[in-house]
Every structure is written in C-alpha cells, then in structure tokens.
Amino acid sequence: MALRCLLVDDDARFLQSARTLLELEGIEVDTASTGAQAVRRAGELRPDFVLLDLRLGSESGFEVARQLQASWPSAGSSQEDPRIILISTYSESDFGRLIAASPALGFISKSSLSARAVRELLERGGRASGP
C-alpha cells in the first residue's frame, strides 16, 4: 500500500514539482497551502505523514505543526499521532532548537526531498536532515 502524504507549502510551483516527484516515487500526495487548509485536510484524509514547510507566508510551520498535533484524536485513540516532517530551503542548523522542540518527527531540506529520504526518516522514527 502506498504511503499517503499531505504536502503543505505556500509556493504553488514547489507544491506541483514536489507532488510530481513524490508521486513518481510511489507516494500518494494531497496538498494544502495554508495552515487552516492543512488542519482541515489532515482531519479529512488522516495521511500517513505531513510534509510541512517552516514558513507559510506569514504563518509559522512550527505553529501549524502544533495545531495539527492538537487537532489529531486524543491519546489512547486508535489513530497514531500525526507524523510531521518539517521541510525548508533553510538549513536545519538555522532552526535546530525549534525543530527539536516541535512535535515534528524530523526535518528534510527541500533540496534533499525524495520518497527515499521520507521513508528512511519514517522507518527510523527520528530526525534527519539534508545538506
């Protein structure tokens, strides 16, 4: 069964290119371009994971990650917590402490984004980064 992803970014060109790349590599992708759309779509779809940009225009990806976590079913539910992976053109070192303190599983730079990078991070259940 293919992994299902919600890709959240405010850049339409990136959304399209990343969606195409991930779908070619066997991941089903739905998209959102705002935090409110992300929370709504995640609630509707219950994706296997969320790829979330650190900056969504004036919105903080860290705040959206907290909103996603809060909107998920409560602990003890049959649903897992959302597996959130933060993405950015910025370096992980620019936001390392904030990433570590966030509810995200980890970080992948946009330049390193691939189905393989996502799968490796999900399998490890830990933090990853790109160059």
Side-chain angles (χ1 to χ4, degrees):
M1 182 195 304
L3 286 172
R4 291 175 301 126
C5 167
L6 177 61
L7 175 61
V8 185
D9 199 295
D10 62 332
D11 182 329
R13 289 180 299 172
F14 177 78
L15 277 177
Q16 184 56 45
S17 62
R19 179 182 198 155
T20 299
L21 170 74
L22 293 170
E23 287 179 341
L24 286 171
E25 295 179 343
I27 294 179
E28 294 177 16
V29 179
D30 199 349
T31 62
S33 58
T34 67
Q37 286 177 349
V39 171
R40 187 181 75 250
R41 296 298 292 152
E44 294 167 358
L45 300 170
R46 292 293 187 221
D48 296 309
F49 66 98
V50 177
L51 289 172
L52 175 60
D53 191 17
L54 289 178
R55 293 201 176 181
L56 298 170
S58 63
E59 295 180 276
S60 163
F62 297 109
E63 179 57 32
V64 174
R66 286 187 282 279
Q67 291 171 9
L68 285 165
Q69 185 181 45
S71 71
W72 223 254
S74 61
S77 160
S78 62
Q79 295 283 343
E80 286 185 24
D81 284 341
R83 297 190 295 174
I84 301 167
I85 299 172
L86 297 170
I87 59 174
S88 182
T89 56
Y90 292 97
S91 166
E92 181 178 18
S93 62
D94 292 338
F95 296 96
R97 288 185 193 152
L98 292 171
I99 293 168
S102 78
L105 181 65
F107 174 89
I108 299 173
S109 71
K110 287 184 178 181
S111 63
S112 298
L113 184 61
S114 69
R116 180 179 179 182
V118 167
R119 285 187 179 105
E120 287 175 0
L121 179 57
L122 293 174
E123 287 170 8
R124 277 197 314 271
R127 306 202 176 269
S129 63

